[in-house]
């Protein structure tokens, strides 16, 4: 009883103290209360509780005040760029909206692996369907993007599957935004289109996760233009180009003054800054991306021409793009502007360090004669078509580089939507990859409307695409591979183990296995499997290799890595949820396919790399299958 009385007394005293402190707090001026409630130690729950305690504090914590503004900025600092400074905003409402959108986006991303994990990656379908779900939320794009970024920026070794799909959805999301910007750009009058802006949009579409913008690219070019002006000032302190402001649109009329600019531009660009044509690795797609050209200071004729032409125009010299076969050029008029005579121009080879050529000398670059049409100036749209066409050809040349092929096809058909040849290529690519069959049908329907003579090719693809759609509705459940099965007794290693290839020396992680080689005879012959001690009659493993490739390796060629490390492969998150210093933890989908592998991996790891705190408990199973691969041994 005494104890009870003591507790009652205590609670009474605490209640009095609470009432007293609240009374003192509410007597403070609103500005001071706002200052106190913006202390970093207080979170959104604290502020909600405070605002519910009395009318005075509720009024101080109103939605348009500093308190909720501070909470918003504290939690989502990346979003501040979307708000104008000092403009009134209902921060409480914004906070609620952003919080709800975050939960919805995260739920969508978490569901992707469960719904789309298959033996063969179906990237397009995953992105298309998942983006449609996010788009249907009706939420601001920057809210969705911010939540995806928050997933990507969390602990880099955990939630790998969540990050894998968040990255792919963000890639797709940004591409849709860039595509809309490109369409707006193409709708502008041709005289208002800038080749640089178009080239940056192409670059952004192919590299949507790279952090650059038209503004950042223009700033770098302005810095080069300023270097040119600095040198030009030494040669001619009264040159009109020196008086031009950054955003001025002006032309130097005098040919000799233009010549001074071109001469100094060549000196700064090719001698001082050492820009050059990439002859050693000409077909690398990086040569076509403006931000990479500025970074590496190498490029191909068209990308270097866009930079050169932009810099020259900043300095008052008007150059025009020339769609010369096999070697993009710029032309510089030496007579009256707009002349139709090809001999009234000097042709500048930006790939060849700004070398100036006559019309006849241009033919020496390609080794044969061409008609006068090839010396004509072209529009910005035609420049972009050639730039994207180069990327398309690289995509067609590269083995398995489907992302570049898809991206460049998207761009080409945005610029020239009725090109039947490329529409058919796009339909075949999507069909081959087994992705987005509904989109394939739309493309085929468009081809049929444009060119009825394509009925044969279109009919074949329509029939098989419809079969694919039916198959999607009734998917075949993959069989789980249990180590305890008699036919799997020879399988020594398990998914998640980090291995080393005994002969090739590469580091890799196992994401699948077969009790015997399942590849076709042609692959077996090419890879000389029969020369192995156990030939095809031994377990083979699907592995993700450090260099970004996927291989199929024989058991006799693999051994556990003595010093395991992370495998920097883009597909790691597709199969694994976490890197645990010595191994990878299979995600739920991979565990469902190999239900007995996780305990085996933990047992192997504890034997190979004993550690004091190695009391690891295996996670639960469920799921689906990994992708087969075609390189290896």
């Amino acid at each position: 009883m005494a104890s009870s009385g003591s507790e009652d007394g205590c609670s009474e005293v605490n209640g009095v103290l609470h009432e007293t402190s609240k009374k003192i707090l509410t007597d403070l001026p609103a500005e001071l209360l706002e200052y106190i409630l913006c202390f970093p130690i207080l979170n959104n729950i604290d502020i909600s509780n405070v605002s519910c305690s009395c009318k005075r504090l509720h009024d101080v914590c109103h939605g348009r005040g500093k308190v909720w503004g501070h909470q918003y900025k504290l939690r989502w600092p990346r979003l501040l760029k979307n708000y104008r400074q000092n403009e009134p905003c209902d921060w409480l409402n914004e906070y609620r909206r952003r919080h709800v959108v975050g939960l919805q986006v995260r739920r969508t991303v978490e569901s992707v692996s469960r719904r789309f994990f298959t033996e063969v990656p179906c990237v397009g379908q995953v992105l298309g369907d998942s983006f449609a779900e996010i788009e249907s939320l009706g939420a601001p794009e920057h809210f969705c993007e911010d939540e995806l970024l928050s997933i990507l920026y969390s602990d880099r070794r955990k939630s790998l599957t969540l990050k894998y799909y968040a990255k792919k959805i963000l890639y797709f999301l940004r591409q849709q935004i860039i595509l809309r910007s490109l369409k707006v750009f193409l709708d502008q009058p041709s005289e208002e289109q800038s080749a640089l802006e178009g080239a940056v949009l192409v670059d952004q579409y192919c590299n949507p996760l790279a952090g650059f913008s038209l503004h950042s690219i223009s700033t770098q070019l302005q810095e080069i233009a300023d270097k040119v002006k600095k040198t030009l000032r030494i040669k001619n302190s009264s040159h009109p180009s020196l008086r031009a402001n950054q955003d001025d649109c002006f032309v130097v009329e005098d040919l000799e003054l233009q010549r001074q600019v071109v001469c100094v531009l060549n000196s700064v660009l090719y001698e001082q800054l050492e820009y050059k044509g990439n002859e050693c690795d000409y077909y690398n797609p990086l040569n076509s991306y403006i931000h990479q050209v500025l970074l590496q200071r190498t490029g191909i004729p068209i990308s270097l021409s866009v930079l050169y032409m932009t810099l020259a125009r900043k300095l008052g010299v008007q150059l025009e793009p020339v769609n010369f076969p096999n070697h993009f050029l710029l032309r510089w008029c030496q007579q009256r502007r707009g002349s139709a005579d090809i001999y009234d121009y000097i042709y500048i080879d930006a790939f060849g360090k700004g070398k100036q050529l006559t019309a006849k000398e241009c033919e020496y670059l390609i080794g044969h004669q061409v008609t006068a049409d090839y010396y004509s100036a072209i529009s910005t749209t035609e420049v972009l078509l050639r730039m994207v066409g180069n990327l398309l050809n690289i995509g067609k040349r590269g083995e398995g580089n489907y992302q570049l092929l898809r991206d460049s096809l998207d761009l080409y058909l945005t610029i020239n939507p009725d090109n039947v040849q490329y529409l058919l290529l796009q339909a075949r690519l999507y069909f081959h990859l087994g992705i987005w069959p509904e989109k394939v049908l739309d493309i085929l329907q468009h081809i049929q409307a444009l060119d009825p003579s394509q009925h044969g090719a279109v009919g074949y693809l329509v029939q098989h695409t419809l079969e694919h759609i039916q198959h999607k509705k009734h998917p075949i459940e993959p069989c789980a591979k249990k180590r305890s099965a008699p036919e799997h007794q020879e399988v020594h290693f398990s998914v998640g183990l980090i291995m080393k290839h005994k002969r090739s020396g590469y580091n890799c992680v196992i994401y699948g296995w077969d009790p015997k080689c399942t590849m076709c005879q042609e692959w077996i012959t090419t890879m000389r499997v029969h020369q192995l001690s156990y030939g095809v009659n031994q377990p083979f493993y699907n592995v993700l290799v450090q260099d970004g490739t996927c291989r199929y390796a024989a058991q006799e060629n693999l051994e556990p890595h003595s010093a395991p490390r992370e495998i920097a492969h883009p597909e790691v998150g597709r199969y694994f949820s976490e890197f645990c210093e010595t191994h990878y933890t299979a995600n739920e989908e991979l565990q469902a396919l190999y239900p007995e592998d996780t305990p085996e991996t933990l047992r192997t790891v504890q034997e190979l790399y004993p550690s004091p705190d190695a009391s690891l408990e295996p996670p639960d199973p469920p799921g689906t299958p990994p992708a087969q691969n075609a390189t290896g041994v």
Side-chain angles (χ1 to χ4, degrees):
M1 290 293 292
S3 170
S4 173
S6 170
E7 285 173 9
D8 288 345
C10 250
S11 62
E12 193 176 324
V13 169
N14 286 337
V16 171
L17 287 172
H18 175 70
E19 286 300 316
T20 307
S21 63
K22 191 167 78 171
K23 198 171 289 186
I24 294 169
L25 189 65
T26 53
D27 287 342
L28 295 173
E31 293 83 357
L32 189 52
L33 281 173
E34 284 181 332
Y35 178 78
I36 292 168
L37 294 174
C38 285
F39 275 19
I41 197 171
L42 300 175
N43 61 30
N44 62 302
I45 297 171
D46 297 323
I47 300 304
S48 295
N49 290 336
V50 166
S51 66
C52 291
S53 63
C54 70
K55 186 176 185 307
R56 167 77 168 140
L57 291 175
H58 181 270
D59 292 342
V60 171
C61 298
H62 66 91
R64 294 183 175 275
K66 289 182 181 177
V67 178
W68 278 109
H70 173 75
Q71 284 296 319
Y72 188 94
K73 294 165 190 174
L74 208 61
R75 185 163 178 187
W76 298 297
R78 282 190 300 267
L79 291 174
L80 296 184
K81 64 180 182 291
N82 297 290
Y83 300 93
R84 290 181 185 169
Q85 225 173 3
N86 302 322
E87 189 175 89
C89 178
D90 188 338
W91 291 109
L92 177 55
N93 186 49
E94 289 292 284
Y95 194 101
R96 284 172 177 153
R97 288 174 69 219
R98 170 61 184 85
H99 177 69
V100 169
V101 168
L103 293 175
Q104 292 170 323
V105 169
R106 193 168 284 263
R107 273 198 295 270
T108 299
V109 179
E110 285 171 348
S111 71
V112 172
S113 183
R114 183 174 64 254
R115 290 182 293 142
F116 297 110
F117 186 90
T118 57
E119 287 187 298
V120 180
C122 294
V123 176
Q125 184 179 13
V126 167
L127 298 185
D129 291 357
S130 300
F131 176 73
E133 287 176 27
I134 290 175
E135 197 175 38
S136 69
L137 300 176
E141 285 168 343
H142 56 278
F143 280 7
C144 299
E145 179 170 312
D146 189 67
E147 185 60 32
L148 292 168
L149 286 171
S150 71
I151 293 171
L152 289 174
Y153 292 154
S154 59
D155 187 333
R156 73 184 177 89
R157 294 184 170 187
K158 295 184 177 179
S159 305
L160 300 182
T161 301
L162 202 61
K163 288 178 189 171
Y164 175 81
Y165 289 106
K167 185 176 182 179
K168 290 193 172 296
I169 294 170
L170 181 62
Y171 189 102
F172 189 84
L173 184 69
R174 285 190 175 174
Q175 280 193 325
Q176 303 317 298
I177 296 168
I178 295 160
L179 216 51
R180 289 201 294 271
S181 298
L182 178 59
K183 288 173 181 175
V184 170
F185 173 83
L186 294 170
D187 285 339
Q188 294 174 353
S190 57
E191 62 274 10
E192 293 178 19
Q193 293 175 345
S194 148
L196 178 69
E197 184 179 352
V200 168
L201 286 167
V202 168
D203 189 351
Q204 286 177 323
Y205 190 81
C206 295
N207 303 283
L209 303 182
F212 67 93
S213 63
L214 177 61
H215 176 73
S216 65
I217 297 294
S218 298
T219 300
Q220 290 180 69
L221 286 178
Q222 188 56 45
E223 288 170 2
I224 298 174
D226 290 341
K227 288 181 189 293
V228 175
K229 286 183 180 181
K230 189 175 179 181
T231 305
L232 190 60
R233 185 173 285 107
I234 297 168
K235 295 185 177 295
N236 182 355
S237 59
S238 62
H239 197 287
S241 294
L242 302 175
R243 297 192 296 274
N245 294 321
Q246 180 174 335
D247 299 321
D248 280 359
C249 206
F250 77 105
V251 178
V252 173
E253 298 292 349
D254 184 84
L255 190 60
E256 182 51 41
L257 293 175
Q258 287 184 32
R259 194 166 279 114
Q260 289 176 14
V261 169
V262 172
C263 180
V264 173
L265 176 55
N266 283 347
S267 172
V268 170
L269 202 58
Y270 300 110
E271 294 172 23
Q272 187 179 331
L273 298 177
E274 298 183 343
Y275 276 78
K276 61 184 178 183
N278 194 346
E279 295 178 353
C280 301
D281 194 13
Y282 190 89
Y283 294 102
N284 190 325
L286 299 185
N287 294 322
S288 294
Y289 302 144
I290 293 298
H291 85 282
Q292 286 290 346
V293 174
L294 287 167
L295 184 67
Q296 307 291 342
R297 301 189 181 185
T298 61
I300 52 175
I302 191 166
S303 56
L304 290 170
S305 291
V306 168
L307 293 185
Y308 195 106
M309 177 172 62
T310 305
L311 288 166
R313 286 186 178 178
K314 281 178 177 288
L315 298 161
V317 179
Q318 297 292 308
L319 302 178
E320 297 173 302
V322 176
N323 205 14
F324 205 68
N326 302 323
H327 201 106
F328 201 85
L329 296 170
L330 298 170
R331 71 178 193 178
W332 173 26
C333 190
Q334 304 293 293
Q335 302 297 330
R336 58 184 176 78
R337 197 178 300 168
S339 169
D341 189 341
I342 65 171
Y343 296 102
D344 284 347
Y345 294 87
I346 289 289
Y347 298 86
I348 295 177
D349 179 10
F351 185 81
K353 298 189 174 181
K355 187 176 180 182
Q356 296 174 18
L357 308 166
T358 63
K360 195 66 188 167
E361 288 171 327
C362 291
E363 294 177 346
Y364 299 146
L365 285 173
I366 56 173
H368 60 84
Q369 289 184 324
V370 294
T371 61
D373 294 343
Y374 287 103
Y375 291 90
S376 301
I378 59 171
S379 67
T380 298
T381 301
E382 290 171 301
V383 172
L384 297 189
L385 277 175
R386 173 135 176 191
M387 184 172 274
V388 174
N390 287 340
L391 288 169
L392 245 173
N393 289 330
I394 296 169
K396 286 190 278 189
R397 288 164 58 103
E399 291 182 18
N401 193 357
Y402 295 126
Q403 191 64 59
L404 177 60
L405 186 55
R406 285 189 59 203
D407 290 346
S408 49
L409 273 171
D410 288 346
L411 287 167
Y412 199 97
L413 291 168
T414 299
I415 302 167
N416 186 8
D418 295 336
N419 186 304
V420 171
Q421 175 195 351
Y422 285 134
L423 282 167
L424 201 51
L425 176 59
Q426 187 180 54
R428 283 175 175 152
L429 176 65
Y430 280 28
F431 177 76
H432 171 72
L433 295 177
I435 60 175
W436 221 345
E438 294 79 10
K439 174 74 171 174
V440 175
L441 290 179
D442 288 343
I443 297 167
L444 294 173
Q445 193 174 16
H446 186 45
I447 293 169
Q448 189 72 50
L450 290 170
D451 186 359
S453 69
Q454 296 289 339
H455 178 73
V458 169
Y460 172 84
L461 286 171
V462 167
Q463 179 189 341
H464 285 82
T465 302
L466 289 171
E467 289 173 5
H468 182 194
I469 292 172
Q470 280 301 114
H471 178 72
K472 264 177 64 183
K473 291 176 181 175
H474 309 285
I476 299 168
E477 286 296 321
C479 296
K481 295 182 179 180
K482 295 187 176 181
R483 306 180 68 80
S484 56
E487 66 271 24
H488 298 155
Q489 294 303 306
E490 297 302 315
V491 178
H492 293 168
F493 308 125
S494 50
V495 297
L497 286 179
I498 296 170
M499 313 296 286
K500 186 166 187 174
H501 196 278
K502 294 177 184 176
R503 288 164 54 197
S504 303
Y506 61 71
N507 302 333
C508 59
V509 58
I510 296 171
Y511 71 94
W513 49 258
D514 296 308
K516 288 184 174 56
C517 182
T518 60
M519 288 297 182
C520 65
Q521 190 57 50
E522 184 184 356
W523 185 91
I524 289 169
T525 304
T526 303
M527 303 307 294
R528 297 182 232 174
V529 175
H530 291 300
Q531 293 182 14
L532 297 173
S533 303
Y534 298 99
V536 296
N537 296 313
Q538 62 176 309
F540 272 71
Y541 296 85
N542 296 107
V543 294
L544 301 176
V545 184
Q546 181 71 32
D547 64 6
T549 60
C550 304
R551 305 199 187 188
Y552 196 54
Q555 181 164 278
E556 68 180 75
N557 283 335
L558 292 175
E559 62 182 358
H561 204 291
S562 58
R565 63 199 70 178
E566 282 186 88
I567 303 298
H569 192 286
E571 294 293 305
V572 160
R574 179 175 176 78
Y575 305 103
F576 303 104
S577 59
E578 184 177 352
F579 175 65
C580 304
E581 302 296 341
T582 54
H583 66 286
Y584 279 92
T585 300
N587 61 22
E588 289 184 7
E589 289 66 45
L590 192 62
Q591 284 188 50
L593 189 61
Y594 297 93
E596 299 174 352
D597 270 42
T598 296
E600 180 64 21
T601 297
L602 295 175
R603 187 191 64 74
T604 304
V605 163
Q606 287 173 341
E607 284 180 5
L608 291 171
Y609 324 106
S611 129
D613 56 345
S615 56
L616 302 168
E617 286 296 324
D620 298 328
T624 345
Q628 293 295 325
N629 206 276
T631 60
V633 189

